[in-house]
Amino acid sequence: MPTDADLSRLPRQVRAELRSLSADAAEFVSAHLVAAGDLIDDDPALALRHAQAAKRRGARLPLVREAVAETAYAAEDFAVALTEYRALRRLTGDSAYLPVMADCERALGRPEEALRLVREAKLVEMTQRSRVELVIIEAGSREDLGQAKEGLRVLRSFLGHLSKEVPHEAHARLAYAYAAMLLRHDQPEEAREWFAIADELDTARELDAVDQIELLDGIDLEFDFEDEDEDEDVERQSEAVEGVEGEGVEAEGVEGEVAEAEVAEAEAPEAADEGDDETPDDATAPAPETQQDRTKDDRAAGE
């Protein structure tokens, strides 16, 4: 159990719901819920493990099942997310989970099931934000089934009858989804117009509409680090080759000097032999008087 979780950060209604558990269980579940909430953006997989730990002792609480569902969705574990959203719907009777359930079905490669849930969701009351998400999922499911024209028609129709009550961020997501689908189906000019609309509406800067516009305008701000690495490798190889060649030239110079020295040494004995064969003019002259001879002469003169 996390020991540094600040349980006072839990909303009042959550703490009230946790009172149905024993004190120990409530503390355990609370600590893991706080940890899951702290980690869901940076490490959703770890957040999911905390939520699942909370579920072990609080599975009958809707807030715990919702924590597991949301962290699983964030971690892209759509099978777990779908299971938990279904459980939530059974526990609460709330149809607000239908759009996200449909999205999970689509993510799992089941667009027909996603459309079934979309049709069911259209029969119940929903917020404008949920309606927008539902339309985006419906259009995407049509595209998944190879019905791109129908998907574009669904988005275009909803955009043409959009209520003024739709929040800007939801409107931005709808415009972005339409632009992205237009781009995927070879309509770049119209796609650019809708990316621009999405960017204008996206005051929270949650979308990458600007990046899409720059790509369409031919502005590529990415730096190709792979090419840079290749250039550096070529440069290092060139330097290595030059170094080896330099060492070869230097070695050739040393070898030349050694060869010259060997030739000089070979010629020196020959010169000495030639000097021995020559007889000097004074070869028959008497040997010079040594100090020993002078000493003998001195002794003889004294006698």
Side-chain angles (χ1 to χ4, degrees):
M1 183 180 75
T3 57
D4 56 348
D6 183 2
L7 305 187
S8 65
R9 292 164 50 200
L10 289 172
R12 180 176 299 177
Q13 64 270 26
V14 172
R15 295 199 300 271
E17 193 170 336
L18 288 170
R19 290 194 189 102
S20 62
L21 302 175
S22 67
D24 288 344
E27 183 181 3
F28 179 89
V29 170
S30 298
H32 282 289
L33 289 178
V34 170
D38 289 341
L39 291 165
I40 191 169
D41 292 328
D42 298 327
D43 192 345
L46 182 55
L48 173 57
R49 291 201 292 273
H50 279 291
Q52 288 173 324
K55 179 184 171 182
R56 288 200 295 270
R57 300 185 70 175
R60 59 190 176 85
L61 299 180
L63 69 93
V64 174
R65 305 303 287 267
E66 188 169 17
V68 178
E70 290 180 355
T71 53
Y73 187 86
E76 299 184 0
D77 191 339
F78 299 110
V80 171
L82 181 59
T83 298
E84 296 302 322
Y85 281 123
R86 284 172 175 164
L88 267 173
R89 191 180 178 208
R90 287 195 302 271
L91 287 169
T92 64
D94 193 346
S95 297
Y97 300 111
L98 285 172
V100 69
M101 288 168 62
D103 197 33
C104 288
E105 291 283 13
R106 185 187 170 210
L108 291 169
R110 299 193 289 254
E112 296 92 346
E113 284 299 309
L115 289 173
R116 183 185 64 77
L117 289 171
V118 167
R119 288 191 293 271
E120 186 178 348
K122 286 181 178 181
L123 301 175
V124 299
E125 289 294 326
M126 284 198 173
T127 65
Q128 290 293 336
R129 192 188 306 272
S130 294
R131 287 285 177 199
V132 167
E133 293 301 319
L134 201 64
V135 168
I136 293 172
I137 294 162
E138 180 182 4
S141 299
R142 291 293 180 188
E143 186 181 24
D144 294 343
L145 290 169
Q147 302 168 8
K149 288 184 179 180
E150 177 62 14
L152 288 168
R153 187 201 65 77
V154 168
L155 291 169
R156 190 184 307 114
S157 175
F158 197 82
L159 281 164
H161 300 87
L162 197 64
S163 170
K164 293 182 180 180
E165 298 176 2
V166 173
H168 279 187
E169 59 270 22
H171 191 175
R173 280 182 51 76
L174 187 65
Y176 185 97
Y178 185 49
M181 191 175 292
L182 286 167
L183 184 59
R184 286 194 295 273
H185 296 281
D186 302 321
Q187 299 181 55
E189 293 182 2
E190 193 175 355
R192 191 194 183 287
E193 293 176 9
W194 282 98
F195 277 129
I197 293 171
D199 179 56
E200 185 178 351
L201 292 166
D202 182 28
T203 55
R205 291 291 174 262
E206 294 178 349
L207 306 173
D208 66 344
V210 173
D211 295 338
Q212 298 298 329
I213 292 170
E214 288 176 348
L215 287 171
L216 285 168
D217 290 345
I219 302 173
D220 189 357
L221 301 179
E222 290 186 9
F223 189 83
D224 197 339
F225 292 102
E226 215 171 280
D227 289 345
E228 183 188 29
D229 291 340
E230 288 177 3
D231 292 342
E232 288 179 358
D233 289 341
V234 170
E235 187 177 345
R236 282 195 294 269
Q237 289 172 3
S238 298
E239 290 175 355
V241 170
E242 289 174 4
V244 170
E245 290 176 351
E247 290 174 2
V249 171
E250 188 176 335
E252 288 176 4
V254 172
E255 289 174 0
E257 292 176 4
V258 171
E260 290 176 3
E262 288 175 351
V263 170
E265 289 177 3
E267 291 176 351
E270 294 177 4
D273 292 341
E274 291 173 1
D276 291 341
D277 293 340
E278 293 178 1
T279 303
D281 296 337
D282 57 350
T284 56
E289 186 179 35
T290 64
Q291 179 64 33
Q292 186 178 2
D293 293 335
R294 284 195 295 271
T295 304
K296 290 178 181 178
D297 292 342
D298 290 342
R299 284 200 300 271
E303 292 176 354

